[in-house]
Each structure stands twice: as structure tokens, then as C-alpha cells.
Amino acid sequence: DIHFYHSKETHFFSFNHHKGAEWYQSLFDPQGESVVMEGSPEYAAWGRSEEIAGRIHELLPEAKLIYMVRDPLPRIASMYVQEVTNTGQALPFSQALRAWPQLIDGSLYERNYQIYADRFGADRIHVVFLDDYRANKDPALREFCAFLDIAPDPVLWEERAAKNTRDEKYFDHPLMRAARKLPGFYQLKRLVSPERRAALRQRFGRKVEISANWTPEDRALALEQIVPDAPAFLARYGKPGTLWTLEA
């Protein structure tokens, strides 16, 4: 019932918006599925939520939105590794935390939720807590299917290997970085199997060997912004304040 963009992230409403709606539509080739989906994390993680929510609402005012959230501090650490991978800048974590405001912005869930709720209405946003999904996928997936008005499919309940883990992070070869900017790159990319793409990354890329090491000062800096935001979001969904790491 679901047609998902093959690479998950189109980045259309953020980095690729200048390419236009026709380009965006060309990325999808549904074959009668009732739901068409894509997912790009920076839609609620770059300090541009108001701008991006407006763009989505202008083109897709009836869209349904799924917002998956996790413990704010591990999310920041994960995004840091992803940003290092994307930009090729091996900036030490402590410096990045101060130079890249999007690291913390993406963990301000109540703020970002309210921006989208104001545009689309709360009934068009389905929030998934990663902790719940990991603990018991069955009810999480049933709620997901109910939100999209589709029948639950047993194949969703199969255990599958995690994707996009830290072990899979490689810096692009300069030629690959240039190729990504060429017209039609992502259309061609879908013709290459995931296994082949992984092999090419390992052959021509450079392994990302960097991690986030929290100092007391770094934790205090992040929590200074997160603590006023997170309790309201947890309370909205009846979650205990102890669910996430909110103490220095």
C-alpha cells in the first residue's frame, strides 16, 4: 500500500526546493499504491522548520506527517556523525556543538512539533517514540498503519538488519561528491542495488572514525536549551520526565 522514495530522503523541501515541483514529482513512480512517502530529517532539524513547514503545506496541504523522536542527547551525537559524513569536515564535537546550531535545534521536539501543528493540525501528525518502537514494534506499527488508513501487513513485523548505522558511514570520494550534483544522479542511483552501493562506498570512500564525546560543559550547553522544551513534549504524550537524559 506504500510507495516510498527509494533512497528515503529527497531533501526537496530543504536543499532541493529550487528544483521545482515537477522535479520532486519525477522522483516517484507509484504503481497504484494508496500512500506515497519520503522522509528527510532536516525538515524538523535545521532551524528552518517554519520555512519548510510552509513549503510542504503550500504543495501538499493534506499531507500526513510522521515525526519520530528519540532521547535528545544521543540524537545530537548521531546527527554530528552524519554532518561530519555529509560535509567532510571532521570538526571536533565540542566545536561543532557551538558552530552547527542545527545539532541542538533538531532535538527541540516541542518547538518543531508546534510549528507543524500550527500549519497542518495535530490530527495530521503522528509521533513515534523510538524507545517504544524498539521495545515493541507490533503496536507501534499498527498505530502507524491506522494513521495512514492502510491495513497492517505481516511483512512489516519481520526482523531486519538496521540500516544507516555508524559502521556504514564513509566520506565520499571527491568524484562522488561532484557526481551527486549532476542532473539525473538520483534517478541513476536507484538502478544500483544497495549491496553494490555499499561496496562502492567501501572501495572508494574513507571510513568515518569519529564520535561525540560529551564533556560536562557540552552537556550543560545542550541541556540549557533542551530542558525548557522536552518536558512539555513528553507530557503531551503521557511520557515520564525520566524517559530521556535531561540532567547534566
Side-chain angles (χ1 to χ4, degrees), residues 33-55:
E33 296 90 345
S34 59
V35 177
V36 176
M37 293 183 68
E38 63 121 317
S40 299
E42 77 277 0
Y43 291 171
W46 275 75
R48 297 171 56 195
S49 293
E50 291 190 17
E51 177 185 14
I52 292 172
R55 289 174 173 177

Side-chain angles (χ1 to χ4, degrees), residues 16-199:
N16 290 322
H17 192 251
H18 63 283
K19 296 181 179 180
E22 288 187 8
W23 177 86
Y24 183 56
Q25 186 174 356
S26 74
L27 301 179
F28 306 96
D29 184 26
Q31 302 297 315
E33 296 90 345
S34 59
V35 177
V36 176
M37 293 183 68
E38 63 121 317
S40 299
E42 77 277 0
Y43 291 171
W46 275 75
R48 297 171 56 195
S49 293
E50 291 190 17
E51 177 185 14
I52 292 172
R55 289 174 173 177
I56 298 173
H57 190 265
E58 181 179 6
L59 185 64
L60 303 168
E62 301 300 316
K64 290 186 174 182
L65 310 172
I66 293 95
Y67 190 23
M68 179 172 272
V69 297
R70 61 183 296 194
D71 193 323
L73 294 187
R75 194 215 65 84
I76 290 172
S78 178
M79 186 175 181
Y80 163 68
V81 175
Q82 184 66 54
E83 284 303 291
V84 168
T85 306
N86 292 345
T87 65
Q89 301 180 54
L91 200 64
F93 178 64
S94 187
Q95 294 182 32
L97 200 60
R98 292 158 175 79
W100 298 341
Q102 66 267 26
L103 293 181
I104 295 177
D105 181 83
S107 284
L108 303 181
Y109 302 134
E110 177 68 11
R111 173 187 176 277
N112 288 308
Y113 168 85
Q114 283 292 351
I115 287 171
Y116 279 89
D118 288 346
R119 291 276 187 178
F120 291 89
D123 61 327
R124 305 198 73 83
I125 304 175
H126 178 61
V127 172
V128 181
F129 283 78
L130 183 59
D131 311 85
D132 294 342
Y133 180 75
R134 284 175 170 167
N136 192 346
K137 292 182 174 63
D138 187 86
L141 288 168
R142 289 186 181 279
E143 290 175 4
F144 169 83
C145 291
F147 175 68
L148 296 179
D149 295 321
I150 60 175
D153 187 333
V155 74
L156 293 175
W157 278 251
E158 293 177 358
E159 289 296 325
R160 303 181 184 184
K163 292 185 177 182
N164 201 29
T165 65
R166 187 165 300 186
D167 289 339
E168 298 173 330
K169 302 295 185 186
Y170 286 81
F171 289 117
D172 274 348
H173 186 279
L175 290 177
M176 178 59 70
R177 193 175 295 276
R180 290 182 186 278
K181 300 178 181 179
L182 296 175
F185 172 83
Y186 290 98
Q187 284 79 0
L188 291 174
K189 180 181 175 182
R190 76 176 67 181
L191 302 178
V192 182
S193 70
E195 294 76 17
R196 183 60 176 164
R197 293 202 300 266

